[in-house]
Amino acid sequence: DMLAAALSAGMNSVGVDVIDAGIVPTPAIAYLSRDTGAIAGAVISASHNPYRDNGIKFFAGTGYKPTNEDELEIENLTLASPSPDIERPTGGKIGRSRSIADGARQYIEFAKQSAGDIRFDGMKIALDNAHGAASFRHAEAVGPAHHAGGAASGGAALGHA
């Protein structure tokens, strides 16, 4: 929670509005980044790693991984303290944060539509969510009769300029 709050506050401090999608699978942020018209998406990766390996994964507004050049720029801006090149807005120009409750549902519907007319009747399919963000959502995708349970942690945010 603290890392998500710090990431959102940092984005807000440079005038970026943040949509907090809550605990969702990483591909949901790729989808939501594109679907909402965000300039970028960020995922706090913490579902199965020791705390010292927690990190932030970024997506471009297209829903794809940023270019190597963009990743290097993000890293350089993060390490520069304070960065003289970044505008520091005040008052009404400071970014705002809001949460969406249905980000996972939107992604599940997108994933179902992406499957098209594929039928899985009579098949047994194992879902290994490794206790990640998807582990408590797969029942929504496959139906409660086929759900075996799970737990999750993590978080995500989308940035809008």
Side-chain angles (χ1 to χ4, degrees):
D1 289 342
M2 288 176 58
L3 190 52
L7 179 62
S8 292
M11 290 182 183
N12 291 157
S13 76
V14 294
V16 176
D17 290 335
V18 173
I19 300 171
D20 185 342
I23 299 173
V24 296
T26 298
I29 294 302
Y31 165 73
L32 289 168
S33 296
R34 186 183 71 234
D35 189 60
T36 64
I39 59 169
V43 175
I44 297 170
S45 178
S47 61
H48 59 278
N49 296 319
Y51 73 92
R52 64 186 172 280
D53 294 334
N54 290 350
I56 301 170
K57 297 177 186 176
F58 289 100
F59 291 95
T62 60
Y64 292 98
K65 182 181 174 194
T67 64
N68 289 340
E69 294 79 19
D70 287 344
E71 284 185 343
L72 185 59
E73 183 178 357
I74 291 168
E75 184 176 328
N76 289 335
L77 288 171
T78 301
L79 296 175
S81 179
S83 175
D85 299 333
I86 296 177
E87 180 183 337
R88 304 287 182 198
T90 58
K93 294 183 180 182
I94 294 173
R96 304 286 184 250
S97 292
R98 67 181 175 94
S99 296
I100 57 171
D102 65 344
R105 167 76 12 223
Q106 290 177 47
Y107 174 67
I108 288 168
E109 290 307 314
F110 166 75
K112 284 180 176 180
Q113 290 173 6
S114 296
D117 294 331
I118 297 173
R119 301 290 307 178
F120 300 101
D121 298 332
M123 299 173 110
K124 291 185 180 182
I125 300 171
L127 299 174
D128 180 4
N129 292 306
H131 294 288
S135 64
F136 68 98
R137 297 287 186 184
H138 65 263
E140 295 174 50
V142 300
H146 308 290
H147 175 249
S153 66
L158 303 173
H160 289 266

